[in-house]
Amino acid sequence: MFCKGDKTNIMKTKELTKQVRDKVVEKYEAGLGYKKISRALNISLSTIKSIIRKWKEYGTTANLPRGGRPPKLKSRTRRK
């Protein structure tokens, strides 16, 4: 049983490589549906949908910059 605040079983996964994301788009352009792509590459359906949505919106499968707080120290200051 999982409690509402229990996060012990939640695991983060690594990002998919650009080659895998390109393969998803390639299969989508070939006419395969989301479910077939998902089964063929063993990737979750929601991941397939988000890859294709990003590709349609931005025209790329590369990792886009994320939001967040900018670093306090500049890279030059950090090296010293």
Side-chain angles (χ1 to χ4, degrees), residues 24 27-28 31-46 48-49 52:
V24 169
K27 287 184 178 291
Y28 178 75
L32 268 70
Y34 291 159
K35 284 184 183 179
K36 288 185 180 179
I37 297 170
S38 176
R39 285 190 211 122
L41 299 176
N42 198 21
I43 300 172
S44 74
L45 189 61
S46 61
I48 300 294
K49 286 179 181 179
I52 293 172

Side-chain angles (χ1 to χ4, degrees), residues 2-48:
F2 295 107
C3 297
K4 190 173 185 180
D6 186 18
K7 294 184 180 181
T8 56
N9 235 3
I10 299 173
M11 295 176 61
K12 283 194 169 188
T13 57
K14 297 286 183 190
E15 292 177 341
L16 296 174
T17 62
K18 181 154 175 36
Q19 291 83 11
V20 173
R21 293 190 305 263
D22 288 341
K23 192 79 166 167
V24 169
V25 171
E26 183 182 303
K27 287 184 178 291
Y28 178 75
E29 286 181 319
L32 268 70
Y34 291 159
K35 284 184 183 179
K36 288 185 180 179
I37 297 170
S38 176
R39 285 190 211 122
L41 299 176
N42 198 21
I43 300 172
S44 74
L45 189 61
S46 61
T47 303
I48 300 294

